[in-house]
């Protein structure tokens, strides 16, 4: 994987494709920020030493041609993963492409919005601050170990201000949570078995305490889950079961809920 930017696009494409093949274990060689000819020559030398499928996103035409010729000489496949999409856009829009290295990582308003969202999310993790929850786009609630924090961070990287509030036995949810008007509140839940397994691993990696037994007790976990479900139902909050979902899938559903939530608010008289 050869890129003149961070290589994130390539890695996403490659991992999506390799996931469709069973019983293979790909060895990844990632070369980001290739912007000079000597850098590209070094990469080509390494391809010669260990040939494999070459995928690249190089904006500079001379670099792309140099790499294509080298791979043809070596006898290894070489694919510009962006070229088919670029061709479709150019044809449909009837305009030429204006290449920009790392164009998707420009320091524009969207970038700074993502940084602001990430700062907000880190400050509002695990119910640390509740006074300004109204500034959030999304507030996630759920019992311990339902992937609230990683989901919030994923959302923040997409410019969504996300806070999360743990639902703890014998402790009432913060009153600010119950009064929210603008943010979308979403509950996350999972099976008792999954939560118990994750909590057991957590306990094993830390110093056990007197509360450890109740923390991993399946019956008590089931009661926690039922109380959380009841709260979400009473408040009309959507509930997502993350038992068999990846963080990305959970976040995608939350973002769909958020689009609908914003649309409803736009059409609601003030």
């Amino acid at each position: 994987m050869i890129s003149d930017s961070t290589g994130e696009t390539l890695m996403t494409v490659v991992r999506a494709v390799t996931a469709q093949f069973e019983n293979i274990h790909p060895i990844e060689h990632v070369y980001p920020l290739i912007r000079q000819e000597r850098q590209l020559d070094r990469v080509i030398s390494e391809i010669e030493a260990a040939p494999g499928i070459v995928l690249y996103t190089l904006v500079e035409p001379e670099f792309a041609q140099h790499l294509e010729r080298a791979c043809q000489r070596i006898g290894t496949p070489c694919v510009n993963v962006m070229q088919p999409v670029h061709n479709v856009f150019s044809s449909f829009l009837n305009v030429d492409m204006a290449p920009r290295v790392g164009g998707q990582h420009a320091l524009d308003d969207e970038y700074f919005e993502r940084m602001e969202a990430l700062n907000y999310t880190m400050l509002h993790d695990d119910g640390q601050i509740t006074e300004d929850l109204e500034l959030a786009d999304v507030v996630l609630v759920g019992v311990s170990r339902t992937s609230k924090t990683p989901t919030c961070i994923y959302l923040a990287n997409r410019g969504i201000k996300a806070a999360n509030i743990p639902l703890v036995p014998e402790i009432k949810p913060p009153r600010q949570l119950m009064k929210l008007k603008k943010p979308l509140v979403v509950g996350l839940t999972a099976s008792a078995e999954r939560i118990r397994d994750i909590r057991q691993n957590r306990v094993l990696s830390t110093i056990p305490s007197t509360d450890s037994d109740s923390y991993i007790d399946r019956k008590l976990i089931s009661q926690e889950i039922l109380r959380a479900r009841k709260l979400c139902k009473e408040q009309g909050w959507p509930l997502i079961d993350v038992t068999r979902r990846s963080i990305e899938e959970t976040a995608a559903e939350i973002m769909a809920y958020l689009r609908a939530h914003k649309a409803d608010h736009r059409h609601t008289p003030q």
Side-chain angles (χ1 to χ4, degrees), residues 114-124 156:
R114 291 201 307 274
M115 293 303 100
E116 183 181 352
L118 191 56
N119 286 333
Y120 180 91
T121 295
M122 298 304 292
L123 287 172
H124 295 78

PDB file of all heavy atoms in Angstrom, residues 114-124 156:
ATOM      1  N   ARG A 114     -14.011  18.807  13.752  1.00  0.00           N
ATOM      2  CA  ARG A 114     -13.700  17.470  14.265  1.00  0.00           C
ATOM      3  C   ARG A 114     -12.833  17.561  15.516  1.00  0.00           C
ATOM      4  O   ARG A 114     -13.048  16.823  16.485  1.00  0.00           O
ATOM      5  CB  ARG A 114     -12.987  16.626  13.202  1.00  0.00           C
ATOM      6  CG  ARG A 114     -13.867  16.230  12.038  1.00  0.00           C
ATOM      7  CD  ARG A 114     -13.303  15.011  11.318  1.00  0.00           C
ATOM      8  NE  ARG A 114     -11.920  15.159  10.914  1.00  0.00           N
ATOM      9  CZ  ARG A 114     -11.524  15.723   9.779  1.00  0.00           C
ATOM     10  NH1 ARG A 114     -12.428  16.200   8.922  1.00  0.00           N
ATOM     11  NH2 ARG A 114     -10.241  15.814   9.473  1.00  0.00           N
ATOM     12  N   MET A 115     -11.863  18.462  15.505  1.00  0.00           N
ATOM     13  CA  MET A 115     -11.007  18.612  16.682  1.00  0.00           C
ATOM     14  C   MET A 115     -11.809  19.121  17.876  1.00  0.00           C
ATOM     15  O   MET A 115     -11.613  18.665  19.018  1.00  0.00           O
ATOM     16  CB  MET A 115      -9.853  19.588  16.379  1.00  0.00           C
ATOM     17  CG  MET A 115      -8.860  19.075  15.342  1.00  0.00           C
ATOM     18  SD  MET A 115      -8.121  17.472  15.785  1.00  0.00           S
ATOM     19  CE  MET A 115      -9.117  16.344  14.791  1.00  0.00           C
ATOM     20  N   GLU A 116     -12.720  20.045  17.628  1.00  0.00           N
ATOM     21  CA  GLU A 116     -13.569  20.562  18.707  1.00  0.00           C
ATOM     22  C   GLU A 116     -14.464  19.457  19.261  1.00  0.00           C
ATOM     23  O   GLU A 116     -14.646  19.334  20.474  1.00  0.00           O
ATOM     24  CB  GLU A 116     -14.432  21.717  18.186  1.00  0.00           C
ATOM     25  CG  GLU A 116     -15.299  22.364  19.263  1.00  0.00           C
ATOM     26  CD  GLU A 116     -16.172  23.482  18.724  1.00  0.00           C
ATOM     27  OE1 GLU A 116     -15.997  23.866  17.546  1.00  0.00           O
ATOM     28  OE2 GLU A 116     -17.045  23.964  19.476  1.00  0.00           O
ATOM     29  N   ALA A 117     -15.004  18.639  18.346  1.00  0.00           N
ATOM     30  CA  ALA A 117     -15.858  17.523  18.776  1.00  0.00           C
ATOM     31  C   ALA A 117     -15.058  16.527  19.608  1.00  0.00           C
ATOM     32  O   ALA A 117     -15.548  16.008  20.624  1.00  0.00           O
ATOM     33  CB  ALA A 117     -16.468  16.833  17.560  1.00  0.00           C
ATOM     34  N   LEU A 118     -13.817  16.260  19.192  1.00  0.00           N
ATOM     35  CA  LEU A 118     -12.988  15.306  19.931  1.00  0.00           C
ATOM     36  C   LEU A 118     -12.658  15.834  21.320  1.00  0.00           C
ATOM     37  O   LEU A 118     -12.701  15.086  22.309  1.00  0.00           O
ATOM     38  CB  LEU A 118     -11.706  15.015  19.147  1.00  0.00           C
ATOM     39  CG  LEU A 118     -10.841  13.855  19.641  1.00  0.00           C
ATOM     40  CD1 LEU A 118     -11.643  12.565  19.711  1.00  0.00           C
ATOM     41  CD2 LEU A 118      -9.644  13.669  18.730  1.00  0.00           C
ATOM     42  N   ASN A 119     -12.337  17.116  21.420  1.00  0.00           N
ATOM     43  CA  ASN A 119     -12.055  17.716  22.730  1.00  0.00           C
ATOM     44  C   ASN A 119     -13.278  17.619  23.641  1.00  0.00           C
ATOM     45  O   ASN A 119     -13.170  17.271  24.818  1.00  0.00           O
ATOM     46  CB  ASN A 119     -11.638  19.187  22.573  1.00  0.00           C
ATOM     47  CG  ASN A 119     -10.234  19.338  22.024  1.00  0.00           C
ATOM     48  OD1 ASN A 119      -9.398  18.463  22.209  1.00  0.00           O
ATOM     49  ND2 ASN A 119      -9.975  20.442  21.349  1.00  0.00           N
ATOM     50  N   TYR A 120     -14.446  17.941  23.085  1.00  0.00           N
ATOM     51  CA  TYR A 120     -15.690  17.869  23.872  1.00  0.00           C
ATOM     52  C   TYR A 120     -15.920  16.439  24.357  1.00  0.00           C
ATOM     53  O   TYR A 120     -16.243  16.201  25.528  1.00  0.00           O
ATOM     54  CB  TYR A 120     -16.880  18.344  23.025  1.00  0.00           C
ATOM     55  CG  TYR A 120     -18.197  18.295  23.770  1.00  0.00           C
ATOM     56  CD1 TYR A 120     -18.643  19.399  24.479  1.00  0.00           C
ATOM     57  CD2 TYR A 120     -18.972  17.136  23.776  1.00  0.00           C
ATOM     58  CE1 TYR A 120     -19.847  19.348  25.177  1.00  0.00           C
ATOM     59  CE2 TYR A 120     -20.169  17.081  24.475  1.00  0.00           C
ATOM     60  CZ  TYR A 120     -20.604  18.189  25.168  1.00  0.00           C
ATOM     61  OH  TYR A 120     -21.791  18.136  25.873  1.00  0.00           O
ATOM     62  N   THR A 121     -15.738  15.483  23.463  1.00  0.00           N
ATOM     63  CA  THR A 121     -15.998  14.079  23.791  1.00  0.00           C
ATOM     64  C   THR A 121     -15.067  13.579  24.886  1.00  0.00           C
ATOM     65  O   THR A 121     -15.511  12.876  25.805  1.00  0.00           O
ATOM     66  CB  THR A 121     -15.860  13.219  22.522  1.00  0.00           C
ATOM     67  OG1 THR A 121     -16.888  13.600  21.603  1.00  0.00           O
ATOM     68  CG2 THR A 121     -15.982  11.740  22.830  1.00  0.00           C
ATOM     69  N   MET A 122     -13.787  13.931  24.812  1.00  0.00           N
ATOM     70  CA  MET A 122     -12.842  13.478  25.826  1.00  0.00           C
ATOM     71  C   MET A 122     -13.177  14.083  27.196  1.00  0.00           C
ATOM     72  O   MET A 122     -13.034  13.418  28.225  1.00  0.00           O
ATOM     73  CB  MET A 122     -11.408  13.848  25.425  1.00  0.00           C
ATOM     74  CG  MET A 122     -10.953  13.189  24.123  1.00  0.00           C
ATOM     75  SD  MET A 122     -11.088  11.387  24.139  1.00  0.00           S
ATOM     76  CE  MET A 122      -9.840  10.964  25.339  1.00  0.00           C
ATOM     77  N   LEU A 123     -13.633  15.313  27.212  1.00  0.00           N
ATOM     78  CA  LEU A 123     -13.982  15.972  28.476  1.00  0.00           C
ATOM     79  C   LEU A 123     -15.270  15.412  29.080  1.00  0.00           C
ATOM     80  O   LEU A 123     -15.483  15.500  30.290  1.00  0.00           O
ATOM     81  CB  LEU A 123     -14.140  17.487  28.266  1.00  0.00           C
ATOM     82  CG  LEU A 123     -12.860  18.286  28.037  1.00  0.00           C
ATOM     83  CD1 LEU A 123     -13.196  19.721  27.648  1.00  0.00           C
ATOM     84  CD2 LEU A 123     -11.990  18.264  29.296  1.00  0.00           C
ATOM     85  N   HIS A 124     -16.124  14.843  28.222  1.00  0.00           N
ATOM     86  CA  HIS A 124     -17.435  14.375  28.682  1.00  0.00           C
ATOM     87  C   HIS A 124     -17.545  12.854  28.640  1.00  0.00           C
ATOM     88  O   HIS A 124     -18.624  12.296  28.486  1.00  0.00           O
ATOM     89  CB  HIS A 124     -18.543  15.018  27.838  1.00  0.00           C
ATOM     90  CG  HIS A 124     -18.619  16.505  28.012  1.00  0.00           C
ATOM     91  ND1 HIS A 124     -17.744  17.368  27.407  1.00  0.00           N
ATOM     92  CD2 HIS A 124     -19.468  17.276  28.740  1.00  0.00           C
ATOM     93  CE1 HIS A 124     -18.044  18.611  27.745  1.00  0.00           C
ATOM     94  NE2 HIS A 124     -19.078  18.591  28.560  1.00  0.00           N
ATOM     95  N   ALA A 156     -16.842  11.327  17.319  1.00  0.00           N
ATOM     96  CA  ALA A 156     -16.128  12.605  17.394  1.00  0.00           C
ATOM     97  C   ALA A 156     -15.209  12.796  16.204  1.00  0.00           C
ATOM     98  O   ALA A 156     -15.060  13.902  15.687  1.00  0.00           O
ATOM     99  CB  ALA A 156     -15.342  12.693  18.698  1.00  0.00           C
TER     100      ALA A 156
END
